[in-house]
Amino acid sequence: MESQLVIKVILIVAFAAFAIFLMLPGRGARHVAIRRLVMVLVLALTVLAVVFPNTLNAVAHAVGIGRGADLLLYGLIVVFIGNTLLQQRRSHHLERQITLLARRQAIVEARLPEAGNAPAADAPAGASASAAVSAAAAPAVSETASRRPGTAD
Amino acid sequence: MVPLFNEETVIASVVENALPVFPHIVCVDDGSSDGSAAAALAAGAVVVPHPINLGQGAALQTGIDYAIAQPSCSYLVTFDADGQHLVADAQAMVARLESEPLDVVLGSRFLDGRTELGWLKRLVLRTAVVFQRASAGIHLTDAHNGLRAFTRDAAAKIEIRQNRMAHASEIVGEIAKKKLRYTEQPVHVVYTEYSKAKGQSLWNSINILADLFLN
C-alpha cells in the first residue's frame, strides 16, 4: 500500500495542475506556451518509452506500480482528461465567437415587413416616446413603413 | 421581441394578436427550418434571422441588441412565440414600467391561480426558484417565464451569455448584479395542446443545470 504513495501523489498533483491551469485566464502567450511544452514533453516520453521499454518498468517500480503497462495507462488517463478539459474550454470559446458572429450577421440581415402589412398604429406621428403604451412601448424596434431593409441602423 | 424557432403554425396569429398593442415586433428567427420567418414577416413583424440555430438565450440577446439600436424603442417586452402568453399581461407590465420606478417587470405564473400545470413541472420550477434565490439573492416565484418587460436602459445593461435555456437564470443574475429595480407581475400561461407538445421537456432542466455549472 505504502509503495503506491508516490504514484498517488503524482496523479493528484497532475489533476491539481489541470484545475489551476483551467482557472488561469484563457488566452495569452503563456497559456499557449505551456500547452506546447506539455505536448513536447508527452511526445518525448512516448518516444523514450518506445525505445527503452524496460525503463518504463523500472520507472513504474520506482513509483510503486507493478508494471510499466499500468504506468502507461495512468499516463494515458491523465493526458486524456487534460485534453478533454482543454477541448471543452476551446469549444466554449468557439461557440461564443460563433454566437457573436451570427448575431452581427442577423442584425445586418434584418428584414422589415412590407409596407402594406404595417399596422395603422405604426404611424410615425403617434410614436411619441412615452405617451401611449401602444405607440412607444413596443417590443423593440422603431422601423417605420417607409424605411428600407438596407437602411436599418 | 419574440425568439422564434420552428413555430410556423402559430407565429402569425401571435404576431397579429400583439400588433394592435405593440406595433413594433421583432422576431429573432433562430435558424428555423420551417416557414416561421416568412410567416412572421407576412404577419407584420421585423425578422432578424440567425444564420444557424444558437438557442433561445442567444436569440433574446440578439433581439435586445437589435431593439436598443432603434432610437424610438423605450420599452422592450420578451414574448414567447408559441402563443402561451397574453398580450394583455404584457401591456399591463409595460404600464407598470411607465408608472412605477421600475427597470424590469417579470411575469410569474404562480402569483395567481390562473395557470394550471402538472406537479412535476411545478416542482422543477420551484426548485429552480430556490436555486436562483441562493445564487443571485433574488427571490422570484417563477424561474422560467418568457414574459418579461424591460426599460430600454435596463435591457441595455443585461448581457446574456447563456445561449440555450439557462438564460432565464442568467437574466435573474444580471438583474441582481446590475442592481436593477424589479418586480413580478401575475401572468397567465396558456398551456394549449400545441405548447404542451412543443414546450420544454423537463429533461431540459438537467441541461440547464449543466449549462449553468459547466461553464
Side-chain angles (χ1 to χ4, degrees):
Chain A
M1 234 22 213
E2 211 165 277
S3 60
Q4 287 173 357
L5 190 68
V6 182
I7 184 65
K8 281 181 181 168
V9 168
I10 291 175
L11 289 176
I12 290 171
V13 166
F15 288 120
F18 288 155
I20 292 166
F21 191 69
L22 284 175
M23 272 186 273
L24 292 174
R27 281 181 289 170
R30 186 183 58 183
H31 223 76
V32 178
I34 292 175
R35 233 165 45 211
R36 287 177 180 164
L37 283 176
V38 170
M39 183 68 88
V40 169
L41 190 71
V42 168
L43 281 176
L45 287 176
T46 318
V47 171
L48 284 177
V50 170
V51 179
F52 309 107
N54 290 331
T55 43
L56 206 58
N57 260 326
V59 173
H61 287 305
V63 297
I65 306 173
R67 299 181 305 161
D70 290 341
L71 179 65
L72 213 56
L73 179 64
Y74 289 161
L76 185 65
I77 291 172
V78 168
V79 171
F80 174 74
I81 291 178
N83 188 48
T84 307
L85 292 172
L86 272 182
Q87 285 304 326
Q88 202 171 49
R89 184 155 92 168
R90 234 180 103 78
S91 70
H92 212 85
H93 186 66
L94 213 57
E95 183 184 293
R96 181 89 196 125
Q97 288 180 313
I98 289 173
T99 300
L100 296 178
L101 187 65
R103 176 164 299 140
R104 186 161 292 192
Q105 197 200 341
I107 290 175
V108 168
E109 296 204 339
R111 279 175 292 162
L112 310 185
E114 292 299 311
N117 290 327
D122 203 20
S128 77
S130 60
V133 174
S134 59
V141 176
S142 71
E143 106 294 341
T144 53
S146 60
R147 236 205 256 171
R148 299 267 41 102
T151 65
D153 319 288
Chain B
M1 201 265 296
V2 182
L4 174 62
F5 179 61
N6 289 351
E7 304 279 4
E8 184 178 16
T9 52
V10 288
I11 185 61
S13 70
V14 170
V15 170
E16 279 157 10
N17 280 335
L19 267 180
V21 181
F22 299 106
H24 306 291
I25 298 181
V26 178
C27 288
V28 179
D29 175 40
D30 194 18
S32 295
S33 54
D34 62 3
S36 293
L41 196 66
V46 175
V47 172
V48 181
H50 278 174
I52 48 174
N53 178 251
L54 292 171
Q56 196 181 49
L60 284 173
Q61 184 61 54
T62 300
I64 290 173
D65 283 7
Y66 186 84
I68 59 183
Q70 316 299 321
S72 75
C73 165
S74 38
Y75 301 100
L76 185 146
V77 175
T78 68
F79 201 87
D80 283 358
D82 59 4
Q84 63 173 324
H85 297 316
L86 300 179
V87 175
D89 284 335
Q91 198 172 8
M93 288 162 75
V94 173
R96 289 190 71 180
L97 287 180
E98 287 181 316
S99 60
E100 298 175 37
L102 292 168
D103 299 312
V104 186
V105 180
L106 301 164
S108 170
R109 71 200 103 176
F110 296 118
L111 286 178
D112 61 19
R114 281 185 292 170
T115 302
E116 294 168 9
L117 70 178
W119 66 270
L120 186 58
K121 189 146 195 158
R122 194 175 283 267
L123 177 75
V124 168
L125 286 165
R126 293 282 183 199
T127 313
V129 160
V130 172
F131 170 78
Q132 282 177 354
R133 188 179 203 171
S135 63
I138 285 190
H139 182 57
L140 299 174
T141 54
D142 190 354
H144 282 255
N145 197 302
L147 188 54
R148 308 173 187 89
F150 302 89
T151 61
R152 178 197 179 85
D153 289 345
K157 283 178 188 157
I158 299 265
E159 191 193 3
I160 304 170
R161 298 172 65 95
Q162 290 284 356
N163 274 4
R164 289 170 294 273
M165 281 301 172
H167 67 269
S169 297
E170 191 182 24
I171 288 173
V172 175
E174 287 284 292
I175 289 171
K177 205 163 77 186
K178 311 282 160 72
K179 298 193 168 54
L180 301 176
R181 297 162 296 174
Y182 67 95
T183 191
E184 281 191 303
Q185 166 96 357
V187 301
H188 185 33
V189 174
V190 187
Y191 289 107
T192 58
E193 284 308 313
Y194 176 81
S195 72
K196 269 187 211 160
K198 281 217 58 160
Q200 278 201 66
S201 112
L202 286 169
W203 288 110
N204 240 337
S205 48
I206 293 167
N207 296 335
I208 289 170
L209 276 182
D211 277 345
L212 283 175
F213 286 112
L214 305 177
N215 237 322

